[in-house]
Amino acid sequence: MSSKTPNRSDELQQSAESLKGAHGNISSEWKFLPQPARLSLGFRNEGVRCYSNSLLVALLHIPKVVNWLDQHHAENDCTKAHCVACALAGLSEAYWDHNPDPGEVERRLSRFEDEIATGHKKEAWLKTEGGKQEDVQEFYNWLINKLKRQLKTDEETLSMISNVFELKLKRTSTCAYGHKENLATEAHNPLVLPCEPNIDQAIQGVFAEESMPDIECGPCKHRASKVYQRTIANAPDILCTHFNRFDVSGKKATKVEREVAFSGELDLSSYVDAKTPLRYQLLAAIHHKGNMKKGHYITYSKSPEGSWGRQNDQKVHKATIKEATQSNDRFTPYLLFWQKFPPTISTQDPKSRKRSREAGPDLDPLDSNNPRAKSPKTDKAAADSPGGKSSIWSLEWLYSNPHGEKKAAKELAECKKEHEKKDAVIREQKEQIERAKGTNSELLVACNDLRHSLEAWKQATAKITPMMEHMEAHGGKNSNKASTYLRLKRVAEDRECASLSRLRENEETAELPQSTDGEPSSGS
């Protein structure tokens, strides 16, 4: 074996208590950072073992699985023959060593394959000679069930596997008379989803209500229609979802190549009975290319530092979360692994923050590859919300990432600039309102003056009119006086019309009741 300085198992053994959560649960956080930082390692494929390689890479990028293997299943303490967990623990130790030796990783991988091929040869997985192409989802089911059968005497391990991987759905029925009945609980691992246009529609199909007519109700004994519904009874820490891409309904089995849209986050809050937040983040995605008879698997996985990589057997390349969530080069997403977000933020003292920085991040909300990355301004907005709860993961990441403070400072500076721009706009709006108030006051005074002027011209017109009538009755003997009266009357009428027009314009601007039929409005 290669020399290990320091050995990660020794580090985790020294901090065993810190790894445990409530009731001895295994931590979902990475407690180490590879030095130097790296994506992952690839595995050689001498035949048709891409399905095994892709699954191993995905499992080894789930911190809860790695922590359990290191902490609760020490290889040297196990006495079981052909123990799959021991083989996985040895491979995990070599894979995540600070100074990994490719030869040692190769030996541990060979031991894992030999244990399965020879110790469980009746189940025909990973044969040393020949072999055939297999489905990664079926291999995943076999591996999880084998762990449960081999470790069935260890209640803590069985509980861990159940709580970590199994999604349990509670099925209920409600009759037409309103009586509710609890039915059997369903366990799903993985959760099989149809290939709908997006993952939300696919999940809605799983939880959609089903109506059945003329069914006898257990509580009330009436025969009536019943509505069946599923809700989440146990939300696993690691949720595995499987897109059912193989259609065997017709005469010829075909692969469903339809694109299913999804992002790096999955929200299942609306399907929980208690109506509590339930959100997951993508950790690994296994893609498939080919048909029912033959094909190839690759894995997109998230490293402890938060970056994404693509593992194609021994070939390892940098990738993005966008590549992990979309079809690329006819590779379609097939098996996805999600990690549940923690429900609350854990308070940390400065010493524990320093240890966390050395340990590394659990989740990276400021990762540029994260399409819904959180920023400090988002945390502040959440902290100011009625619930008073800030982001459930970004502060933890800032404490644990050595570069997080620089990114946070940059985000805060940008946030400050945005707030300054908004403050300037608000000040300008306030000034416009004050100016409008002043203009409105001037308009009110002008309206009063116009009303008085309008009334005066109307009175002048009223005086001139009988004089004109008197002169016409006497034959208009004084033509000069008559023309003067006529001119005055026209001026008075023109001024009256002009005053009325200006009054209405000012009333509209000042939003006052408008005058009608030439009469001034009652407001002043």
Side-chain angles (χ1 to χ4, degrees):
M1 289 180 61
S2 63
S3 60
K4 303 176 180 62
T5 53
N7 187 290
R8 185 169 55 82
S9 297
D10 296 337
E11 289 181 353
L12 292 174
Q13 187 174 1
Q14 294 172 2
S15 59
E17 293 301 321
S18 65
L19 278 171
K20 292 185 178 181
H23 309 295
N25 291 335
I26 310 302
S27 173
S28 296
E29 298 179 3
W30 291 107
K31 293 300 177 181
F32 68 96
L33 278 177
Q35 300 295 332
R38 56 183 170 84
L39 294 173
S40 67
L41 299 176
F43 293 140
R44 56 104 177 96
N45 182 5
E46 296 177 351
V48 287
R49 295 183 179 175
C50 59
Y51 69 94
S52 172
N53 290 346
S54 61
L55 180 62
L56 291 176
V57 169
L59 293 177
L60 292 177
H61 281 259
I62 299 175
K64 196 140 192 150
V65 174
V66 174
N67 291 337
W68 172 71
L69 291 171
D70 280 310
Q71 183 183 348
H72 284 273
H73 199 84
E75 186 179 5
N76 297 330
D77 297 337
C78 182
T79 58
K80 294 181 177 65
H82 306 295
C83 180
V84 175
C86 284
L88 270 177
L91 179 60
S92 174
E93 181 181 358
Y95 188 90
W96 287 117
D97 192 86
H98 283 291
N99 186 23
D101 178 5
E104 181 62 23
V105 174
E106 182 75 17
R107 284 188 290 272
R108 296 300 182 101
L109 177 62
S110 296
R111 185 197 166 186
F112 172 80
E113 293 175 343
D114 291 343
E115 286 287 359
I116 293 179
T118 59
H120 311 281
K121 58 184 178 182
K122 291 183 179 180
E123 287 146 285
W125 291 102
L126 300 179
K127 289 182 178 180
T128 54
E129 296 180 1
K132 61 178 182 178
Q133 298 202 25
E134 301 288 356
D135 182 73
V136 66
Q137 183 256 335
E138 293 178 358
F139 183 54
Y140 169 72
N141 282 344
W142 176 87
L143 189 61
I144 294 297
N145 291 330
K146 176 59 68 174
L147 288 173
K148 293 171 69 174
R149 288 196 299 270
Q150 283 193 321
L151 306 175
K152 61 184 178 181
T153 57
D154 187 348
E155 294 184 1
E156 182 180 358
T157 298
L158 286 176
S159 176
M160 189 282 299
I161 294 176
S162 176
N163 291 331
V164 169
F165 287 102
E166 287 187 359
L167 173 69
K168 293 182 179 178
L169 303 182
K170 182 175 68 175
R171 197 160 179 259
T172 60
S173 66
T174 306
C175 73
Y177 296 92
H179 295 99
K180 192 173 183 178
E181 185 177 8
N182 292 326
L183 306 177
T185 300
E186 305 171 349
H188 296 263
N189 183 29
L191 177 63
V192 181
L193 300 175
C195 292
E196 300 291 347
N198 60 67
I199 195 170
D200 292 331
Q201 292 181 5
I203 292 176
Q204 287 172 7
V206 174
F207 292 92
E209 293 183 348
E210 302 173 12
S211 181
M212 298 289 290
D214 195 27
I215 301 293
E216 182 177 342
C217 177
C220 68
K221 305 304 180 183
H222 288 95
R223 295 192 68 85
S225 61
K226 298 185 73 173
V227 176
Y228 295 87
Q229 188 176 21
R230 291 181 179 91
T231 54
I232 296 176
N234 175 67
D237 295 326
I238 303 300
L239 175 65
C240 180
T241 58
H242 166 229
F243 290 124
N244 186 15
R245 291 197 173 274
F246 297 109
D247 184 8
V248 294
S249 59
K251 295 182 179 180
K252 183 179 179 181
T254 57
K255 181 184 176 182
V256 180
E257 299 282 356
R258 178 187 297 169
E259 183 80 21
V260 181
F262 64 98
S263 66
E265 291 187 12
L266 183 64
D267 193 344
L268 301 180
S269 304
S270 57
Y271 306 112
V272 183
D273 242 354
K275 302 303 178 185
T276 55
L278 178 59
R279 296 168 54 248
Y280 287 87
Q281 187 188 51
L282 188 66
L283 289 185
I286 298 176
H287 289 215
H288 177 265
K289 178 181 181 180
N291 52 40
M292 291 284 291
K293 295 182 179 179
K294 62 180 180 180
H296 186 59
Y297 292 101
I298 62 174
T299 302
Y300 291 89
S301 61
K302 187 177 182 180
S303 70
E305 297 85 3
S307 57
W308 281 84
R310 181 178 67 253
Q311 294 79 30
N312 183 354
D313 291 330
Q314 284 184 309
K315 300 176 183 178
V316 180
H317 302 280
K318 290 183 179 181
T320 64
I321 193 171
K322 184 177 180 180
E323 294 177 76
T325 57
Q326 293 181 354
S327 298
N328 301 285
D329 191 24
R330 299 190 67 184
F331 280 95
T332 53
Y334 187 59
L335 201 65
L336 310 179
F337 292 90
W338 310 80
Q339 176 171 277
K340 182 167 63 175
F341 282 134
T344 56
I345 274 189
S346 58
T347 56
Q348 294 179 316
D349 61 321
K351 292 183 178 179
S352 65
R353 292 183 187 180
K354 183 178 180 181
R355 290 195 298 270
S356 296
R357 289 193 185 99
E358 297 172 351
D362 180 15
L363 301 172
D364 185 351
L366 299 182
D367 183 2
S368 60
N369 295 327
N370 186 347
R372 298 178 64 184
K374 296 286 181 178
S375 65
K377 61 184 180 182
T378 307
D379 295 336
K380 183 180 184 305
D384 296 337
S385 64
K389 294 181 180 179
S390 58
S391 169
I392 62 174
W393 71 86
S394 59
L395 292 181
E396 288 182 343
W397 181 83
L398 286 175
Y399 295 154
S400 61
N401 191 299
H403 304 293
E405 294 179 0
K406 293 181 179 179
K407 290 185 177 180
K410 183 178 178 180
E411 291 283 343
L412 287 172
E414 294 176 356
C415 180
K416 185 177 179 181
K417 290 181 180 178
E418 291 181 5
H419 281 297
E420 289 176 352
K421 291 180 181 178
K422 291 180 180 179
D423 289 340
V425 172
I426 292 173
R427 284 195 299 270
E428 177 63 24
Q429 289 177 347
K430 287 182 177 179
E431 292 175 359
Q432 290 178 359
I433 291 172
E434 293 299 326
R435 288 195 297 268
K437 286 182 178 178
T439 304
N440 201 50
S441 300
E442 295 174 359
L443 288 173
L444 291 175
V445 174
C447 285
N448 286 331
D449 293 342
L450 285 170
R451 289 191 187 97
H452 293 303
S453 176
L454 179 61
E455 187 65 27
W457 286 113
K458 289 179 70 175
Q459 292 176 2
T461 302
K463 289 181 179 180
I464 293 173
T465 299
M467 295 180 182
M468 293 288 294
E469 292 175 351
H470 178 76
M471 292 192 66
E472 288 177 358
H474 291 81
K477 295 179 180 179
N478 194 337
S479 58
N480 291 334
K481 187 176 290 188
S483 60
T484 300
Y485 284 151
L486 182 60
R487 187 170 60 254
L488 288 174
K489 182 179 179 181
R490 289 176 179 173
V491 170
E493 289 175 347
D494 291 342
R495 296 290 178 87
E496 180 183 345
C497 292
S499 298
L500 181 59
S501 177
R502 288 182 58 193
L503 174 61
R504 287 179 175 175
E505 289 177 1
N506 289 351
E507 286 175 340
E508 289 177 357
T509 307
E511 297 182 354
L512 297 174
Q514 293 186 9
S515 302
T516 57
D517 298 329
E519 295 295 331
S521 60
S522 58
S524 61

